[in-house]
Amino acid sequence: MNTIVVYKSKYGSTKQYAEWIADELGCGTADAGKIKANDLEPYDAVIFGGGLYAESIDGVSLIANNFDMLKDKKIIIFTVGLTDPGHERYYRSVAERNLGHEILSEVKIFNLPGKMIMEELSFLHRKELGVLKAFLSKKKELSEDGKMLLELCDKSNDFMDKEAIMPIIREFKEQ
Ligand SMILES: Cc1cc2nc3c(=O)[nH]c(=O)nc-3n(C[C@H](O)[C@H](O)[C@H](O)COP(=O)(O)O)c2cc1C
């Protein structure tokens, strides 16, 4: 199957996963910011990965806004974020909000663990996290999700794991 892995990555974790996946599948990668939907026409399968920012899948509009053109291809989407991939309720709501039911019923989606190194963040991102932290800290009672978020936005974390790509690879090899 003629396959391409397309990614949108601000600090390199999604790009790293895209490269690991492409290596395993023996296919190429492309930066979503440098291609147009028409460039995907020659491929039978498109794997798209985007980092999570405030619950948005970075760059996924390339797939969502062009789904009519892409829907006859095999489409796999993966997110990369700090939230534990085992947090099903969180990821279900992220997927629904970013893609909607119609697209979700036609694609497979996987959630991979990312990293965030405080010293690497842009001024704007640090500020965003500071605002989020101040907002959460002021709350009298925090839900479990709120506590998790407060902990994650407060320090560097690196959950990158090459093994996490295996369900995506199996999805292809078991065809
Ligand atoms: C401003 C900001 C917002 C973020 N929002 C989320 C989020 O909503 N959910 C999540 O799981 N991770 C969130 N993260 C963590 C990123 O998804 C994580 O660092 C990811 O590895 C980034 O991928 P990239 O380097 O490929 O862009 C956020 C990070 C920053 C800096």
CSV table of all heavy atoms in Angstrom, one decimal, residues 40 43-46 62-75 102-103 105-107:
chain,number,residue,atom,x,y,z
A,40,LEU,N,-1.7,14.6,-1.4
A,40,LEU,CA,-2.0,13.3,-0.8
A,40,LEU,C,-2.7,12.4,-1.8
A,40,LEU,O,-2.8,11.2,-1.6
A,40,LEU,CB,-2.8,13.4,0.5
A,40,LEU,CG,-2.2,14.3,1.5
A,40,LEU,CD1,-3.2,14.5,2.7
A,40,LEU,CD2,-0.9,13.6,2.0
A,43,TYR,N,-1.6,8.7,-2.8
A,43,TYR,CA,-1.4,7.7,-1.7
A,43,TYR,C,-2.7,6.9,-1.5
A,43,TYR,O,-3.8,7.4,-1.6
A,43,TYR,CB,-0.9,8.3,-0.4
A,43,TYR,CG,0.4,9.0,-0.6
A,43,TYR,CD1,0.5,10.3,-0.9
A,43,TYR,CD2,1.6,8.2,-0.5
A,43,TYR,CE1,1.8,10.9,-1.1
A,43,TYR,CE2,2.8,8.8,-0.8
A,43,TYR,CZ,2.9,10.1,-1.1
A,43,TYR,OH,4.1,10.7,-1.3
A,44,ASP,N,-2.5,5.6,-1.1
A,44,ASP,CA,-3.7,4.7,-0.8
A,44,ASP,C,-4.0,4.9,0.7
A,44,ASP,O,-5.1,4.7,1.2
A,44,ASP,CB,-3.3,3.2,-1.0
A,44,ASP,CG,-2.8,3.0,-2.4
A,44,ASP,OD1,-3.5,3.4,-3.3
A,44,ASP,OD2,-1.7,2.3,-2.5
A,45,ALA,N,-2.9,5.2,1.5
A,45,ALA,CA,-3.1,5.3,2.9
A,45,ALA,C,-2.4,6.6,3.5
A,45,ALA,O,-1.3,6.9,3.1
A,45,ALA,CB,-2.6,4.1,3.6
A,46,VAL,N,-3.1,7.3,4.3
A,46,VAL,CA,-2.5,8.5,4.9
A,46,VAL,C,-2.6,8.3,6.5
A,46,VAL,O,-3.7,8.1,7.0
A,46,VAL,CB,-3.3,9.8,4.5
A,46,VAL,CG1,-2.7,11.0,5.2
A,46,VAL,CG2,-3.2,10.0,3.0
A,62,LEU,N,-6.2,19.7,7.9
A,62,LEU,CA,-5.8,19.2,6.6
A,62,LEU,C,-6.6,17.9,6.3
A,62,LEU,O,-7.0,17.8,5.1
A,62,LEU,CB,-4.3,18.8,6.6
A,62,LEU,CG,-3.7,18.2,5.4
A,62,LEU,CD1,-3.6,19.3,4.3
A,62,LEU,CD2,-2.4,17.6,5.6
A,63,ILE,N,-6.9,17.1,7.3
A,63,ILE,CA,-7.7,15.9,7.0
A,63,ILE,C,-9.2,16.3,7.1
A,63,ILE,O,-10.0,16.0,6.2
A,63,ILE,CB,-7.4,14.8,8.1
A,63,ILE,CG1,-5.9,14.5,8.1
A,63,ILE,CG2,-8.3,13.6,7.9
A,63,ILE,CD1,-5.4,13.8,6.8
A,64,ALA,N,-9.6,17.0,8.2
A,64,ALA,CA,-11.0,17.2,8.4
A,64,ALA,C,-11.6,18.1,7.3
A,64,ALA,O,-12.8,17.8,6.9
A,64,ALA,CB,-11.2,17.9,9.8
A,65,ASN,N,-10.9,19.1,6.8
A,65,ASN,CA,-11.5,20.0,5.8
A,65,ASN,C,-11.5,19.4,4.4
A,65,ASN,O,-12.0,20.0,3.5
A,65,ASN,CB,-10.8,21.4,5.8
A,65,ASN,CG,-11.0,22.1,7.1
A,65,ASN,OD1,-11.8,21.8,7.9
A,65,ASN,ND2,-10.2,23.2,7.3
A,66,ASN,N,-10.7,18.3,4.3
A,66,ASN,CA,-10.6,17.7,2.9
A,66,ASN,C,-11.1,16.3,2.9
A,66,ASN,O,-10.7,15.5,2.0
A,66,ASN,CB,-9.1,17.8,2.4
A,66,ASN,CG,-8.7,19.3,2.3
A,66,ASN,OD1,-9.1,20.0,1.5
A,66,ASN,ND2,-7.8,19.7,3.3
A,67,PHE,N,-11.9,16.0,3.9
A,67,PHE,CA,-12.3,14.6,4.0
A,67,PHE,C,-13.0,14.0,2.8
A,67,PHE,O,-12.8,12.8,2.5
A,67,PHE,CB,-13.1,14.3,5.3
A,67,PHE,CG,-13.1,12.9,5.7
A,67,PHE,CD1,-11.9,12.3,6.2
A,67,PHE,CD2,-14.2,12.1,5.6
A,67,PHE,CE1,-11.8,11.0,6.6
A,67,PHE,CE2,-14.1,10.8,6.0
A,67,PHE,CZ,-13.0,10.2,6.5
A,68,ASP,N,-13.8,14.8,2.1
A,68,ASP,CA,-14.5,14.2,1.0
A,68,ASP,C,-13.5,13.7,-0.1
A,68,ASP,O,-13.7,12.7,-0.7
A,68,ASP,CB,-15.4,15.3,0.3
A,68,ASP,CG,-16.7,15.4,1.0
A,68,ASP,OD1,-17.0,14.4,1.8
A,68,ASP,OD2,-17.5,16.3,0.8
A,69,MET,N,-12.4,14.5,-0.2
A,69,MET,CA,-11.4,14.1,-1.2
A,69,MET,C,-10.6,12.9,-0.8
A,69,MET,O,-10.1,12.1,-1.5
A,69,MET,CB,-10.5,15.3,-1.4
A,69,MET,CG,-9.6,15.2,-2.6
A,69,MET,SD,-8.2,16.3,-2.3
A,69,MET,CE,-6.9,15.2,-1.9
A,70,LEU,N,-10.5,12.7,0.6
A,70,LEU,CA,-9.6,11.7,1.1
A,70,LEU,C,-10.3,10.4,1.5
A,70,LEU,O,-9.6,9.4,1.8
A,70,LEU,CB,-8.9,12.2,2.4
A,70,LEU,CG,-8.0,13.5,2.1
A,70,LEU,CD1,-7.6,14.1,3.5
A,70,LEU,CD2,-6.8,13.1,1.3
A,71,LYS,N,-11.6,10.4,1.6
A,71,LYS,CA,-12.3,9.3,2.3
A,71,LYS,C,-12.2,7.9,1.7
A,71,LYS,O,-12.5,7.0,2.4
A,71,LYS,CB,-13.8,9.7,2.6
A,71,LYS,CG,-14.7,9.8,1.4
A,71,LYS,CD,-16.1,10.1,1.9
A,71,LYS,CE,-16.9,10.2,0.6
A,71,LYS,NZ,-17.9,11.3,0.7
A,72,ASP,N,-11.8,7.8,0.4
A,72,ASP,CA,-11.6,6.5,-0.2
A,72,ASP,C,-10.3,5.9,0.2
A,72,ASP,O,-10.0,4.8,-0.2
A,72,ASP,CB,-11.8,6.5,-1.7
A,72,ASP,CG,-13.3,6.9,-2.0
A,72,ASP,OD1,-14.2,6.5,-1.2
A,72,ASP,OD2,-13.5,7.5,-3.1
A,73,LYS,N,-9.4,6.7,0.9
A,73,LYS,CA,-8.1,6.1,1.3
A,73,LYS,C,-8.3,5.6,2.7
A,73,LYS,O,-9.2,5.9,3.4
A,73,LYS,CB,-7.1,7.3,1.3
A,73,LYS,CG,-7.0,8.0,0.0
A,73,LYS,CD,-6.0,9.2,0.1
A,73,LYS,CE,-6.0,10.0,-1.1
A,73,LYS,NZ,-5.6,9.3,-2.4
A,74,LYS,N,-7.2,4.8,3.1
A,74,LYS,CA,-7.2,4.3,4.5
A,74,LYS,C,-6.6,5.5,5.3
A,74,LYS,O,-5.5,6.0,4.9
A,74,LYS,CB,-6.3,3.1,4.6
A,74,LYS,CG,-6.2,2.5,6.0
A,74,LYS,CD,-5.3,1.3,5.9
A,74,LYS,CE,-5.1,0.7,7.3
A,74,LYS,NZ,-6.2,0.0,7.8
A,75,ILE,N,-7.4,6.0,6.3
A,75,ILE,CA,-6.9,7.1,7.0
A,75,ILE,C,-6.7,6.7,8.5
A,75,ILE,O,-7.7,6.2,9.1
A,75,ILE,CB,-7.9,8.3,7.0
A,75,ILE,CG1,-8.3,8.7,5.6
A,75,ILE,CG2,-7.4,9.5,7.8
A,75,ILE,CD1,-7.4,9.6,4.9
A,102,GLU,N,-19.1,11.9,12.0
A,102,GLU,CA,-19.1,11.4,10.7
A,102,GLU,C,-17.7,10.9,10.3
A,102,GLU,O,-17.5,9.8,9.9
A,102,GLU,CB,-19.6,12.4,9.7
A,102,GLU,CG,-20.4,11.9,8.6
A,102,GLU,CD,-20.9,13.0,7.7
A,102,GLU,OE1,-21.6,13.9,8.2
A,102,GLU,OE2,-20.6,12.9,6.5
A,103,ILE,N,-16.7,11.8,10.5
A,103,ILE,CA,-15.3,11.4,10.2
A,103,ILE,C,-14.8,10.3,11.1
A,103,ILE,O,-14.2,9.3,10.7
A,103,ILE,CB,-14.4,12.6,10.3
A,103,ILE,CG1,-14.8,13.7,9.2
A,103,ILE,CG2,-12.9,12.2,10.1
A,103,ILE,CD1,-13.9,14.9,9.1
A,105,SER,N,-16.3,7.9,12.4
A,105,SER,CA,-16.8,6.6,12.0
A,105,SER,C,-16.0,6.0,10.9
A,105,SER,O,-16.2,4.8,10.6
A,105,SER,CB,-18.3,6.6,11.7
A,105,SER,OG,-18.5,7.4,10.5
A,106,GLU,N,-15.2,6.8,10.2
A,106,GLU,CA,-14.5,6.3,9.0
A,106,GLU,C,-13.0,6.2,9.2
A,106,GLU,O,-12.3,5.7,8.3
A,106,GLU,CB,-14.8,7.2,7.8
A,106,GLU,CG,-16.3,7.4,7.6
A,106,GLU,CD,-16.7,7.3,6.2
A,106,GLU,OE1,-15.9,6.8,5.4
A,106,GLU,OE2,-17.8,7.7,5.9
A,107,VAL,N,-12.5,6.7,10.3
A,107,VAL,CA,-11.0,6.6,10.5
A,107,VAL,C,-10.7,5.9,11.8
A,107,VAL,O,-11.6,5.7,12.7
A,107,VAL,CB,-10.4,8.1,10.6
A,107,VAL,CG1,-10.7,8.9,9.4
A,107,VAL,CG2,-10.9,8.8,11.9
